[in-house]
Amino acid sequence: MTETVPRPTLEAVAARAGVSRATVSRVVNGSDGVREPLAERVRQAVDELGYVPNQAARSLVTKRHDAVAVIVAEPETRVFADPFFARQLRGISKELTAHDNQLVLLLTEDRDDHVRVGRYLAGGHVDGALVFSLHIDDPLPELIQRAGLPTVFGGRPDFNGGRGGVSYVDSDNRGGARDAVRHLLGLGRRRVAHITGALDQTSAVDRHDGYRDVMADADPRLVARGDFTPASGERAMRELLGRHPGLDAVFAANDLMAAGALRVLREHGRRVPEDVAVVGFDDMLPIAEQTEPPLTTVRQDIEEMGRLMARLLLRDLDHTGTPEETSGARPDGLILPTTLIRRSSA
Amino acid sequence: MTETVPRPTLEAVAARAGVSRATVSRVVNGSDGVREPLAERVRQAVDELGYVPNQAARSLVTKRHDAVAVIVAEPETRVFADPFFARQLRGISKELTAHDNQLVLLLTEDRDDHVRVGRYLAGGHVDGALVFSLHIDDPLPELIQRAGLPTVFGGRPDFNGGRGGVSYVDSDNRGGARDAVRHLLGLGRRRVAHITGALDQTSAVDRHDGYRDVMADADPRLVARGDFTPASGERAMRELLGRHPGLDAVFAANDLMAAGALRVLREHGRRVPEDVAVVGFDDMLPIAEQTEPPLTTVRQDIEEMGRLMARLLLRDLDHTGTPEETSGARPDGLILPTTLIRRSSA
DNA sequence: GTGAAAGCGCTAACAT
DNA sequence: ATGTTAGCGCTTTCAC
């Protein structure tokens, strides 16, 4: 391996510019109080030498790292079955980059990883954490919260986080579900069934609640339980058809299950949307566009969600913030609106 | 913001154990040469105080960071259209974690990002880089290589990297393509068409080459150009059907395009696989399983690819490596085998 | 406004 | 085998 040339230090820049290290530091960090002619000379020296501050040295004294951890708990590896995760990451990355923060990615698989993550967080390598926890019984969120790091959750967590509540960003799952069902009703459908997601995730619970908001006194047999997988969508659809052959619409808690339902309906000779209208959730491309017929569904702005998570966290970290805005009347949760995307299935 | 209690330092542990800082450092870093009774006392003090080494201080002197950057260039955002990226990341993460390295994720979008990434890499925050560059004309790879950091590429890069070549991990795109086409031939098909991927990516070029290896003297009109998107698959299929109505098989360079081709074939009343057999590439779930009929395709072990990339890089970084194995007869590229997955489309 | 100097927490020679 | 000491490169009082 080629031994890299030692990089220039503050000292070197100072020498070249004929000033003290302190002055260079001030210029580099944009603190005012250095007069223009001097500042310019320093900037030039920085350029000429290609000086880049040593982050380790800086952190050692400032105790800041300009880095945040993104923690993804994926016991079921479901996150990876869809492209959401990547989109969210992109949103986060953009926002972080814009504020010169680094993104440290922590993927957890099992229990061992939890202690590892806990230690890492406690180890003070990062200034804050962005956490995706999919399952309601996941101990990770509380564990992280306890590490005392500023944290923002992706998706509504199920615990209320002791004093002060937790901050999170989520899609309006409940409202989106209501829109979906109302759309079906607007189409003249009356026997609207629902295929739920895995009810150990708040998103599934919220979508189910949205369905019930609108279909308050529907036959409970119009609801079948799925787990977000295509296979579960097929299974649920069969179940539904069995116990309620007269149904004329289905709202599935995600597109994957809706696709499964579509297949089963076709198998049973039901035409979509003529006999049974179908609405999904997520607008997961390329699934939603590729089904037969293309899926009407509820879209969430997943990238924006990521961006907002980062923004919220950075605000917490902003040490320069005016006192009055720090810990002010800040909403704990930020809920992003969803949009109904009309295609041909409903 | 709760002011966190200052964490214990080496000094504190040393005091508590009644030894010098150096001794504690030795114990913490597992270097031998500390006798058992003493070492035990130190470990105990570490536990009691909950001591965690300050990484910034450590890096400052060791010049190591135990962190590697993962750089994903995604000008077309195509990476995010599929779940590959996440899988690969998981493979990388596992390997890195197992060796106590952190994963710093850098997503690049445009030119500005290039200089940012270049600066970051040059800034010496990480010990090495794992790079995904999708497009042949992408300047990023060379730029990174020039930063002088140990680097491993994901997917065969197109430039030969000056002295010594570059190390990378890739699937056996060419071999996989050959297998696909031979499978079609084995089914008795003779007029096997090919829908290429975006030919500014080496994976598409290699798959095309694989097709040509087997179909050396096929009618050139049996090849239509796509760009990996479903729409391009439809377009290419129409084109193919127009100029070569007698074709009896299609090998598409990925599953997304194969799915598009399937739709067009159905539109045209061709039965699959009876009239036209179709093979895809990637085994992208849930697409491949959900098409009508389910897709025969070439699977690559994408997670393993990530894992190997990380392993290769870590080996380069391993300062403790015996001299003889360092820069030994090491293959530049590591090619992973693919597997043909038989479903119903061929 | 600018410089001098102390010290962040750690590792690695070098002593002992 | 253990302790002492000198920095690593930077920010930040504190003088001037």
Side-chain angles (χ1 to χ4, degrees):
Chain A
M1 226 67 285
T2 42
E3 272 314 308
T4 51
V5 189
R7 293 189 300 129
T9 69
L10 249 203
E11 184 82 50
V13 178
R16 177 160 197 124
V19 298
S20 73
R21 291 192 330 239
T23 299
V24 178
S25 175
R26 288 181 187 114
V27 172
V28 168
N29 292 296
S31 77
D32 36 48
V34 176
R35 251 188 287 249
E36 206 25 73
L38 240 199
E40 183 49 34
R41 229 166 61 219
V42 171
R43 272 185 233 106
Q44 199 171 325
V46 165
D47 279 1
E48 290 170 2
L49 264 40
Y51 168 75
V52 182
N54 178 319
Q55 182 64 41
R58 179 180 279 174
S59 291
L60 188 54
V61 28
T62 60
K63 272 104 175 62
R64 303 186 71 240
H65 302 85
D66 297 313
V68 332
V70 172
I71 301 163
V72 183
E74 37 123 15
E76 310 296 295
T77 74
R78 195 203 125 234
V79 221
F80 287 109
D82 68 43
F84 274 32
F85 169 65
R87 291 256 215 77
Q88 219 141 340
L89 226 37
R90 182 159 53 155
I92 291 172
S93 167
K94 275 186 186 160
E95 188 69 21
L96 253 29
T97 293
H99 293 81
D100 278 309
N101 267 264
Q102 294 313 319
L103 191 172
V104 177
L105 186 66
L106 265 34
L107 263 27
T108 78
E109 202 100 357
D110 48 39
R111 284 290 146 102
D112 293 357
D113 289 344
H114 286 175
V115 330
R116 176 178 60 85
V117 168
R119 218 187 8 239
Y120 182 75
L121 259 25
H125 305 250
V126 293
D127 303 322
L130 259 21
V131 181
F132 296 88
S133 155
L134 294 112
H135 295 273
I136 281 184
D137 56 352
D138 194 334
L140 195 60
E142 286 219 60
L143 202 151
I144 289 167
Q145 193 89 343
R146 256 205 306 267
L149 273 187
T151 304
V152 174
F153 289 89
R156 179 172 73 79
D158 66 312
F159 71 113
N160 71 20
R163 72 229 160 260
V166 301
S167 53
Y168 67 89
V169 178
D170 203 352
S171 291
D172 186 7
N173 287 306
R174 189 162 184 166
R178 277 196 296 255
D179 289 348
V181 179
R182 284 203 195 102
H183 171 68
L184 258 7
L185 256 26
L187 258 29
R189 311 298 166 129
R190 285 300 168 261
R191 288 174 298 279
V192 181
H194 176 46
I195 301 178
T196 75
L199 291 175
D200 65 335
Q201 306 181 210
T202 55
S203 62
V205 172
D206 292 349
R207 290 169 199 183
H208 183 208
D209 285 347
Y211 166 83
R212 291 195 304 183
D213 288 344
V214 182
M215 302 287 293
D217 32 46
D219 184 342
R221 292 176 313 147
L222 277 168
V223 176
R225 186 160 174 167
D227 61 11
F228 284 133
T229 63
S232 78
E234 299 188 5
R235 208 180 316 118
M237 192 67 244
R238 283 205 182 87
E239 206 176 308
L240 250 17
L241 247 20
R243 51 186 203 220
H244 218 304
L247 61 85
D248 55 14
V250 180
F251 164 53
N254 77 348
D255 291 346
L256 251 22
M257 295 193 297
L262 247 28
R263 271 193 303 279
V264 170
L265 287 168
R266 195 180 321 138
E267 238 177 66
H268 285 247
R270 312 286 179 113
R271 292 166 310 161
V272 176
E274 295 81 352
D275 303 329
V276 180
V278 176
V279 178
F281 206 111
D282 285 348
D283 194 31
M284 180 188 292
L285 300 177
I287 297 288
E289 283 176 330
Q290 310 289 325
T291 54
E292 185 71 29
L295 210 53
T296 291
T297 187
V298 180
R299 171 185 297 169
Q300 26 184 348
D301 189 342
I302 216 68
E303 185 169 331
E304 177 67 9
M305 219 175 125
R307 199 167 357 218
L308 278 176
M309 287 177 66
R311 200 168 297 165
L312 233 55
L313 182 62
L314 289 174
R315 215 174 69 183
D316 274 3
L317 300 181
D318 186 8
H319 308 286
T320 70
T322 61
E324 58 265 35
E325 78 174 337
T326 303
S327 76
R330 212 312 271 303
D332 284 345
L334 224 58
I335 309 293
L336 297 183
T338 58
T339 330
L340 188 76
I341 304 295
R342 292 213 45 181
R343 293 203 180 85
S344 331
S345 70
Chain B
M1 225 67 290
T2 41
E3 272 313 309
T4 50
V5 189
R7 292 189 300 132
T9 69
L10 250 204
E11 184 82 48
V13 178
R16 176 160 199 124
V19 298
S20 72
R21 288 189 335 235
T23 299
V24 179
S25 175
R26 287 180 188 115
V27 172
V28 168
N29 293 295
S31 76
D32 35 48
V34 177
R35 251 189 287 249
E36 205 25 73
L38 240 199
E40 183 49 34
R41 227 166 64 218
V42 171
R43 273 184 233 108
Q44 199 171 325
V46 165
D47 279 1
E48 290 169 2
L49 265 39
Y51 169 75
V52 182
N54 178 320
Q55 181 65 41
R58 179 180 280 173
S59 291
L60 187 54
V61 27
T62 60
K63 271 107 175 60
R64 302 186 71 240
H65 301 85
D66 297 312
V68 333
V70 172
I71 302 164
V72 183
E74 38 123 13
E76 312 294 295
T77 75
R78 195 202 126 236
V79 220
F80 287 108
D82 68 44
F84 275 32
F85 168 65
R87 291 256 216 78
Q88 219 141 342
L89 226 37
R90 181 159 54 156
I92 292 172
S93 167
K94 275 186 186 159
E95 188 70 21
L96 253 28
T97 293
H99 292 81
D100 277 310
N101 268 262
Q102 294 313 319
L103 192 173
V104 177
L105 186 66
L106 265 35
L107 263 27
T108 76
E109 201 100 0
D110 48 41
R111 286 290 146 100
D112 293 356
D113 289 344
H114 286 175
V115 331
R116 175 177 62 85
V117 168
R119 220 191 3 242
Y120 182 76
L121 259 26
H125 306 249
V126 293
D127 303 322
L130 259 22
V131 181
F132 296 90
S133 154
L134 294 114
H135 296 273
I136 283 184
D137 56 352
D138 194 334
L140 194 60
E142 286 219 60
L143 202 152
I144 290 168
Q145 192 90 344
R146 256 204 306 268
L149 272 187
T151 304
V152 174
F153 289 88
R156 179 173 73 79
D158 65 312
F159 70 114
N160 70 20
R163 72 227 161 261
V166 300
S167 54
Y168 66 90
V169 178
D170 204 351
S171 290
D172 186 7
N173 287 306
R174 189 162 183 165
R178 278 196 297 255
D179 289 348
V181 177
R182 285 204 194 101
H183 172 69
L184 258 7
L185 257 26
L187 257 29
R189 310 300 165 129
R190 285 302 168 260
R191 287 174 299 278
V192 181
H194 177 45
I195 301 179
T196 75
L199 292 174
D200 64 336
Q201 304 181 213
T202 56
S203 62
V205 171
D206 292 349
R207 290 169 198 181
H208 181 208
D209 285 347
Y211 165 83
R212 290 196 302 185
D213 287 344
V214 182
M215 301 287 292
D217 33 46
D219 184 342
R221 290 175 314 147
L222 276 169
V223 177
R225 186 160 174 168
D227 61 12
F228 284 133
T229 64
S232 78
E234 300 189 4
R235 209 180 316 120
M237 192 67 245
R238 282 206 182 86
E239 205 177 310
L240 250 18
L241 246 21
R243 52 186 202 218
H244 217 305
L247 62 84
D248 56 13
V250 179
F251 164 52
N254 78 348
D255 291 347
L256 251 21
M257 295 193 298
L262 246 30
R263 270 192 304 280
V264 169
L265 287 167
R266 195 179 322 135
E267 237 176 67
H268 286 246
R270 312 285 180 112
R271 292 166 308 162
V272 176
E274 295 81 353
D275 303 329
V276 180
V278 176
V279 178
F281 206 111
D282 284 349
D283 194 31
M284 180 188 293
L285 300 176
I287 296 289
E289 282 177 332
Q290 309 291 324
T291 52
E292 185 71 28
L295 212 52
T296 289
T297 186
V298 180
R299 172 185 296 170
Q300 26 184 347
D301 190 342
I302 216 67
E303 185 169 331
E304 178 68 7
M305 218 175 126
R307 199 168 356 219
L308 278 177
M309 287 177 66
R311 197 167 300 164
L312 234 54
L313 183 62
L314 289 174
R315 215 174 68 183
D316 274 2
L317 300 182
D318 187 8
H319 309 287
T320 72
T322 61
E324 58 265 33
E325 80 175 335
T326 303
S327 76
R330 212 308 274 304
D332 285 344
L334 224 57
I335 308 293
L336 296 183
T338 58
T339 332
L340 189 76
I341 304 295
R342 291 211 48 180
R343 294 204 179 84
S344 332
S345 69

